[in-house]
């Protein structure tokens, strides 16, 4: 029996919960999953790595590999190809529909195509790529303050390391620039990281769950990690990575969200109307991180 | 006596010859252990770490290398060749741990980095040990070039 998972037409962090709900329902019903992306008109980096995480989780559940119907829009299909989505997706899905054959192009908007992260070497590759390609683009073309580019590689490194250090499995990262149309109306640079690993609650439970008692859940785990800086490691130096990302994002008027399980926590800038903590979301495996750095000068 | 360490060279020897970035905790651990072995063979009252060849340092490496060395091995640490990008990671890590190092600027003068009182005490310690001296302008610089 095939169960349908709808991929929203506008597939980004705002519609991700809708996607998670569809995924969750389909998984609960059992059977082979079909991820239907034929109607997608826009897929952000967050949507793309999230879709890969869902495919990974479905594949890891055993049985036949999940199915994926590609977007019918040639523009969307082309972008997903340039963003490196299909190179990763082919390892997870049985793909139905024409795929772009060309390798990801050196597109100035795609600062880092979808890249698998499994080990420290992958993080080195990612940081090296960004340092070589993106730093000049960030400051000259996107008007990102040169000082903001300094911490960008650091924030990217720490976001990827959460997969290596805590997820218990691999994940994906993508970095892209685009026009943020909601309220801000500026160009932004986005780092999206996703895995289908154990998630924050399970990762921190053995070392921190007991003191929360019945209050221990996805939301308290995210708060403990991002706000209090706790780590599953007892080493006093641990927990610095998310704190560092948070400080970087706050300093450059950016946004940070981390979704894990049924909750999402956010550092919300003035240009956004998101809320700091959301609970009771449709469950989704692993962790999904979104960093947004806006252009530092307004364009008219 | 001041022992000098080229951190970029250690990164190439301990991890991979092509790496230019100090990122990930695993890399930081490998670099630190390499430095610890060398330090154990020839300890010195002051250790100078040169970050000149390093492109990016993340918080994990700043903690795994600098903070851990200070907590467990090295009393006086002088950092040279640090860019503003390096300080983006080093400063919050040091301040978070309440640690301090001496920062050697491009012109050779010394300043504190991290917990202010501890850093000033380290500078005084260097001057008293005649490893550093106050210049005519009131700044402090290492005596050994």
């Amino acid at each position: 029996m095939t169960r349908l998972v709808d991929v929203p037409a506008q597939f980004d962090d705002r519609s991700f919960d809708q996607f998670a709900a569809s995924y969750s329902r389909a998984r609960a019903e059992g059977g082979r999953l079909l991820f239907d992306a034929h109607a997608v008109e826009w897929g952000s980096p967050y949507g793309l790595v999230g879709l890969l995480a869902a495919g990974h989780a479905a594949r890891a559940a055993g049985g036949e590999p999940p199915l994926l119907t590609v977007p019918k829009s040639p523009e969307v299909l082309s972008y997903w190809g340039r963003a490196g989505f299909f190179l990763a997706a082919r390892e997870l899905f049985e793909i139905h529909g024409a795929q772009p054959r060309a390798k990801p192009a050196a597109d100035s908007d795609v600062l880092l195509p979808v890249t698998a992260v499994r080990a420290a070497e992958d993080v080195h590759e990612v940081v090296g790529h960004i340092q070589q390609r993106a730093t000049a683009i960030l400051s000259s073309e996107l008007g990102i303050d040169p000082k903001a580019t300094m911490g960008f590689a650091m924030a990217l490194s720490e976001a990827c390391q959460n997969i290596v250090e805590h997820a218990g499995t691999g994940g994906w990262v993508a970095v892209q620039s685009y026009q943020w149309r909601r309220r801000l109306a500026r160009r932004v640079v986005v780092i999206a990281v996703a895995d289908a690993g154990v998630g924050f609650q399970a990762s921190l439970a053995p070392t921190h769950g007991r003191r929360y008692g019945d209050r221990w859940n996805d939301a308290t785990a995210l708060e403990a990690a991002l706000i209090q800086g706790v780590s599953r490691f007892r080493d006093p130096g641990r927990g610095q990575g998310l704190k560092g990302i948070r400080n970087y994002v706050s300093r450059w008027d950016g946004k940070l969200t981390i979704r894990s399980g049924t909750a999402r926590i956010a550092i919300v800038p003035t240009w956004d109307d998101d809320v700091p903590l959301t609970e009771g979301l449709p469950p989704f495996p692993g962790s999904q991180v979104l960093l947004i750095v806006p252009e530092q000068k307004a364009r008219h | 006596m001041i022992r000098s360490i080229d951190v970029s060279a250690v990164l190439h020897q301990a991890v991979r010859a092509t790496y230019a970035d100090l990122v990930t905790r695993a890399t930081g651990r490998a670099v630190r252990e390499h430095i610890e072995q060398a330090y154990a063979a020839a300890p010195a009252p002051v250790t100078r770490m040169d970050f000149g060849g390093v492109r990016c340092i993340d918080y994990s490496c700043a903690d795994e290398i600098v903070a851990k060395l200070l907590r467990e091995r090295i009393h006086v640490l002088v950092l040279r060749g640090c860019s503003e990008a390096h300080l983006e990671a080093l400063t919050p890590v040091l301040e978070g741990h309440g640690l301090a190092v001496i920062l050697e600027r491009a012109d050779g003068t010394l300043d504190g980095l991290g917990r202010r009182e501890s850093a000033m005490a380290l500078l005084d310690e260097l001057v008293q040990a005649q490893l550093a001296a106050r210049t005519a302008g009131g700044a402090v610089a290492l005596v050994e070039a």
Side-chain angles (χ1 to χ4, degrees):
Chain A
M1 189 79 184
T2 301
R3 305 293 182 189
L4 193 69
V5 180
D6 286 312
V7 183
Q10 302 296 320
F11 189 30
D12 58 12
D13 54 302
R14 287 284 174 124
S15 62
F16 193 83
D17 298 331
Q18 176 187 337
F19 170 69
S22 182
Y23 170 80
S24 177
R25 274 193 305 270
R27 279 296 302 271
E29 290 168 358
R32 191 180 190 186
L33 299 188
L34 166 60
F35 291 84
D36 185 7
H38 87 278
V40 171
E41 296 167 1
W42 157 245
S44 73
Y46 186 86
L48 294 185
V49 296
L51 180 52
L52 291 171
H56 184 203
R59 186 151 189 143
E64 295 177 277
L67 301 158
L68 171 67
T69 306
V70 304
K72 68 180 179 189
S73 160
E75 291 78 23
V76 175
L77 202 60
S78 172
Y79 161 62
W80 283 26
R82 284 184 286 113
F85 173 79
F86 289 108
L87 285 175
R90 281 175 205 136
E91 295 186 20
L92 300 170
F93 300 95
E94 181 181 306
I95 300 176
H96 287 250
Q99 302 168 49
R101 294 207 176 272
K103 286 184 181 178
D107 187 321
S108 65
D109 283 354
V110 179
L111 300 174
L112 176 74
V114 171
T115 303
V117 177
R118 297 183 185 92
E121 304 89 83
D122 300 318
V123 182
H124 272 275
E125 286 283 327
V126 164
V127 170
H129 180 102
I130 282 293
Q131 298 266 48
Q132 286 169 16
R133 265 208 80 224
T135 302
I137 295 172
L138 287 171
S139 59
S140 65
E141 293 186 24
L142 300 177
I144 302 290
D145 190 309
K147 289 189 177 179
T149 67
M150 293 177 187
F152 189 84
M154 260 190 332
L156 175 61
S157 171
E158 296 294 346
C160 291
Q161 278 187 78
N162 273 310
I163 298 175
V164 176
E165 296 278 322
H166 304 293
T169 187
W172 293 269
V173 59
V175 182
Q176 193 184 335
S177 68
Y178 52 85
Q179 190 73 16
W180 189 267
R181 292 191 171 82
R182 287 181 254 136
R183 282 183 71 182
L184 182 65
R186 263 187 252 175
R187 284 194 75 79
V188 297
V189 179
V190 167
I191 297 173
V193 181
D195 67 75
V198 299
F200 277 72
Q201 182 185 4
S203 176
L204 293 174
T207 48
H208 296 283
R210 185 178 295 181
R211 63 187 168 98
Y212 286 84
D214 293 341
R215 292 190 303 115
W216 184 249
N217 56 32
D218 290 317
T220 49
L222 285 171
E223 280 185 312
L226 183 62
I227 307 301
Q228 297 163 33
V230 304
S231 170
R232 67 189 181 96
F233 297 105
R234 295 291 189 193
D235 187 328
R238 293 286 192 155
Q240 300 273 344
L242 285 181
K243 182 181 175 183
I245 296 172
R246 194 183 86 204
N247 291 342
Y248 174 74
V249 160
S250 297
R251 184 175 169 191
W252 298 108
D253 196 30
K255 182 179 182 181
L256 168 66
T257 72
I258 306 175
R259 193 193 196 284
S260 188
T262 59
R264 182 178 60 248
I265 196 166
I267 304 299
V268 186
T270 53
W271 50 263
D272 195 74
D273 56 5
D274 205 346
V275 294
L277 186 67
T278 312
E279 301 180 69
L281 295 172
F284 194 83
S287 306
Q288 298 79 47
V289 179
L290 177 66
L291 282 85
I292 304 170
V293 180
E295 183 182 4
Q296 295 300 299
K297 53 190 179 196
R299 292 190 179 191
H300 301 283
Chain B
M1 178 195 149
I2 300 174
R3 182 184 177 86
S4 293
I5 297 171
D6 180 339
V7 182
S8 178
V10 174
L11 172 62
H12 295 161
Q13 290 163 19
V15 188
R16 192 168 293 188
T18 54
Y19 282 174
D21 303 302
L22 280 175
V23 293
T24 79
R25 201 161 278 278
T27 291
R29 190 177 307 122
V31 168
R32 174 176 52 76
E33 289 174 351
H34 197 95
I35 293 173
E36 285 175 341
Q37 285 173 12
Y39 184 82
V46 178
T47 300
R48 179 164 60 195
M49 292 175 69
D50 192 334
F51 285 85
V54 175
R55 193 165 52 183
C56 168
I57 306 171
D58 68 7
Y59 301 100
S60 298
C61 269
D63 180 74
E64 196 64 39
I65 300 171
V66 177
K68 280 197 174 177
L69 283 172
L70 280 172
R71 286 204 308 267
E72 298 170 10
R73 292 260 186 253
I74 296 173
H75 174 57
V76 182
L77 188 56
V78 178
L79 306 185
R80 78 186 306 194
C82 289
S83 65
E84 283 192 53
H86 297 157
L87 297 181
E88 289 260 335
L90 291 166
T91 304
V93 165
L94 289 170
E95 289 178 350
H97 285 296
L99 297 169
V101 297
I102 303 299
L103 188 66
E104 185 178 8
R105 299 203 179 278
D107 63 1
T109 57
L110 304 180
D111 199 355
L113 185 69
R115 190 165 178 270
R116 194 71 190 159
E117 300 82 12
S118 302
M120 293 301 105
L122 289 174
L123 279 174
D124 287 340
E125 207 174 306
L126 286 179
V127 171
Q128 287 170 18
Q130 298 182 334
L131 293 171
R134 297 195 182 277
T135 67
V140 180
L142 289 174
V143 170
E144 182 186 283

